[in-house]
Amino acid sequence: MSGRGTWSLRTKLVLTSVVVEVLMLTLLVANSLRLTHDSLMEQARLRMEELHVLFNASLAPPLVQRDYGTLYEILQESRREAGLTYLVLMDRDGQVLARAGWPEGQALPSPSPRLSLDAVRDGRFDLVVPIRMAGRDYGRLAYGLSASLLQQTHDHLLRQSLIIAAAEVLLSVILLTLLGLWLTRHLAELTRASRAVGDGRFDTLVTVRSDDEVGQLARAFNHMTEALRDRIAAQHGTEEDLRQALSSLSRSEAEQRRYALEAEHERARLVCLLSAMNLGILFVGTDGRVIYHNPAFTRIWMIKDADSLVGRPVNEVLASATGTLSRPDHFSRHILGVLATREVSDSLEIPMADGRLITQLNYPVRDAEGQFIGHLWIYEDVTNERQTAAQLVYLAERDSLTGLYNRHYFQQELTRMLAECERNASQGALLFFDLDEFKAIN
């Protein structure tokens, strides 16, 4: 910031980019924690269902026979091996028949309303399962399912995500500061030269380093100082001649310089913002040639020679990409259709031969008068999001330990097969294999 308390262009550029980065990271961290929480709760739910089946299979026969010694041994062994904090078996009237890990005479806690980390009390879930046999209730079992491992996993992932986010923000501040210095170095030189001319040093010149708007502004500045110097030299360099030379500068030239500086500032802010995005941006003119692209576009399409893309036909640019399309004919027809229309097109999924999946969105670009001036194409690599969704489906349908289909998937498949047999008027069969000594095998 300057002495007057105004924000410099460099500071605005860095702060704006950092705010965008922090917002994006906040959304990503929140979404990651939500997915992790849902996955952990799904594992806890599957564990609860497995325990309910195990409790009914092991406790129902001795409960019917009122073999209290066997019931006590089963509860003690289950508490040692199943990661349970306590077990209390009651009959249908609420009379305690056997307990393990719960003090005698102490009232049982109310069951947890739902499987969520918010519902954890004293590091456990308080659950109740009815003990049934042949469709008849013989009692119920209250037990505490330990949630300490779930909480530790959630807290570890939260700390890890916050550390990674903080490191990325710090790295972004450093990189954006260096980028701001690099983008504004020419303007700083022009500012110093303008002050020198204002102090009367009309031999001041700036170095022209490019052919863009900044380079054109530098040439205009050099022409202006040369014209002033020549005019002053022709009029013998008197102070009066100097004032006349300064007053002869047309107001239009001053306005042009001001507009050029404002345009360059706006262009620098826009280019920096687009460069900081992870979405691939491509502007295509009405003639189908590339006008602008950001670094994310060349990174997504694996284009090496990024300097030669502007001015080339867009179909040649995409054809020169290193990444190979899995369906090039379909994509070529889509590109031709997009170039022929001036409306917003639907999202297109582009499968790549290397396994990546890229989405494309097309938006028409119009000027202030509503005239069509080109297309804006936005590309995004959604491979990781699709893989995460597939992994969540896998975890929901399979046992986390063995990788086999779980009870939920079996019930879905059984329901589907029964509906198919009813729809086709056909018959089916279900084979059930009983495993002796399942407790020892498990």
Side-chain angles (χ1 to χ4, degrees):
M1 292 186 294
S2 65
R4 297 182 179 179
T6 58
W7 296 90
S8 66
L9 173 63
R10 190 177 304 163
T11 303
K12 293 178 181 178
L13 179 66
V14 173
L15 289 180
T16 302
S17 302
V18 169
V19 169
V20 174
E21 186 78 14
V22 169
L23 291 176
M24 295 298 294
L25 287 175
T26 301
L27 294 176
L28 290 176
V29 169
N31 184 62
S32 176
L33 291 178
R34 181 183 62 79
L35 294 178
T36 301
H37 178 272
D38 294 344
S39 176
L40 292 175
M41 291 304 101
E42 179 65 17
Q43 295 180 18
R45 186 187 64 79
L46 295 177
R47 176 61 175 162
M48 181 187 68
E49 293 180 355
E50 294 173 357
L51 289 174
H52 289 182
V53 175
L54 178 62
F55 288 149
N56 274 276
S58 60
L59 295 176
L63 180 59
V64 173
Q65 299 173 4
R66 297 192 175 276
D67 187 355
Y68 301 122
T70 301
L71 292 174
Y72 176 78
E73 293 178 357
I74 292 175
L75 294 187
Q76 293 292 337
E77 185 175 355
S78 298
R79 181 170 177 261
R80 288 194 302 269
E81 298 180 359
L84 304 174
T85 59
Y86 70 89
L87 299 100
V88 178
L89 180 63
M90 296 168 285
D91 59 13
R92 289 179 295 180
D93 299 328
Q95 184 68 28
V96 176
L97 304 178
R99 64 166 53 87
W102 189 261
E104 183 176 358
Q106 184 175 345
L108 290 172
S110 58
S112 300
R114 62 187 183 280
L115 282 180
S116 173
L117 291 178
D118 298 335
V120 175
R121 294 175 296 190
D122 298 331
R124 67 175 187 268
F125 295 110
D126 296 306
L127 304 172
V128 176
V129 54
I131 305 300
R132 296 188 178 95
M133 186 173 184
R136 182 179 178 184
D137 290 342
Y138 288 92
R140 55 193 179 93
L141 175 68
Y143 66 96
L145 179 61
S146 176
S148 58
L149 181 59
L150 297 177
Q151 287 182 319
Q152 293 174 3
T153 302
H154 183 271
D155 294 341
H156 174 72
L157 291 175
L158 175 60
R159 288 192 300 269
Q160 189 177 32
S161 299
L162 292 177
I163 292 174
I164 293 175
E168 186 169 350
V169 170
L170 179 60
L171 181 60
S172 298
V173 171
I174 295 174
L175 293 178
L176 290 171
T177 301
L178 296 176
L179 180 61
L181 291 173
W182 181 77
L183 289 175
T184 59
R185 68 188 192 280
H186 301 307
L187 298 179
E189 183 178 355
L190 275 172
T191 302
R192 290 191 296 269
S194 299
R195 291 174 180 173
V197 172
D199 294 336
R201 298 194 299 271
F202 298 101
D203 57 346
T204 303
L205 296 176
V206 295
T207 304
V208 180
R209 296 185 174 89
S210 61
D211 292 331
D212 56 6
E213 289 83 354
V214 176
Q216 296 174 8
L217 184 61
R219 289 191 182 90
F221 180 85
N222 291 338
H223 291 328
M224 180 191 69
T225 55
E226 290 175 357
L228 285 174
R229 189 169 57 251
D230 294 342
R231 181 168 297 182
I232 293 172
Q235 297 180 2
H236 308 289
T238 62
E239 183 177 355
E240 181 65 25
D241 294 335
L242 175 59
R243 285 196 296 268
Q244 293 177 359
L246 290 175
S247 62
S248 65
L249 288 175
S250 64
R251 183 172 299 178
S252 61
E253 292 177 349
E255 290 293 328
Q256 290 177 0
R257 291 197 302 273
R258 183 172 63 85
Y259 290 152
L261 282 174
E262 291 178 354
E264 178 59 24
H265 293 173
E266 187 66 27
R267 178 180 180 275
R269 287 192 289 266
L270 179 60
V271 169
C272 184
L273 176 61
L274 294 178
S275 299
M277 296 176 62
N278 290 326
L279 299 176
I281 303 297
L282 182 67
F283 285 99
V284 181
T286 55
D287 57 352
R289 296 182 179 272
V290 175
I291 297 177
Y292 171 82
H293 65 87
N294 67 343
F297 170 79
T298 57
R299 183 172 63 254
I300 290 175
W301 283 97
M302 298 181 180
I303 299 176
K304 297 179 180 179
D305 189 10
D307 296 333
S308 62
L309 299 185
V310 177
R312 294 176 54 188
V314 64
N315 53 354
E316 292 183 7
V317 170
L318 298 178
S320 65
T322 304
T324 305
L325 296 167
S326 61
R327 300 176 60 188
D329 294 337
H330 175 74
F331 182 65
S332 298
R333 290 193 299 269
H334 177 77
I335 292 297
L336 294 177
V338 169
L339 292 175
T341 184
R342 296 185 177 181
E343 303 295 335
V344 178
S345 62
D346 296 333
S347 176
L348 174 68
E349 293 186 351
I350 308 171
M352 308 298 289
D354 56 1
R356 294 183 301 139
L357 184 63
I358 299 173
T359 60
Q360 173 185 292
L361 289 173
N362 169 66
Y363 296 94
V365 182
R366 303 182 184 277
D367 58 14
E369 298 178 358
Q371 298 295 325
F372 177 79
I373 60 175
H375 295 272
L376 168 63
W377 291 355
I378 301 177
Y379 295 91
E380 183 179 9
D381 189 346
V382 297
T383 307
N384 292 334
E385 288 80 356
R386 296 299 174 85
Q387 291 177 350
T388 301
Q391 181 66 19
L392 291 177
V393 173
Y394 180 89
L395 292 175
E397 295 181 348
R398 295 178 180 267
D399 182 76
S400 60
L401 179 62
T402 63
L404 300 175
Y405 287 118
N406 56 20
R407 179 178 180 182
H408 176 69
Y409 183 82
F410 166 75
Q411 292 176 345
Q412 286 184 338
E413 284 296 301
L414 181 60
T415 303
R416 184 189 61 79
M417 291 180 64
L418 291 175
E420 185 177 352
C421 291
E422 182 179 1
R423 183 172 60 256
N424 299 329
S426 60
Q427 295 182 349
L430 173 64
L431 300 182
F432 178 82
F433 295 92
D434 188 17
L435 298 180
D436 295 332
E437 301 297 336
F438 178 78
K439 177 179 177 182
I441 294 175
N442 193 39

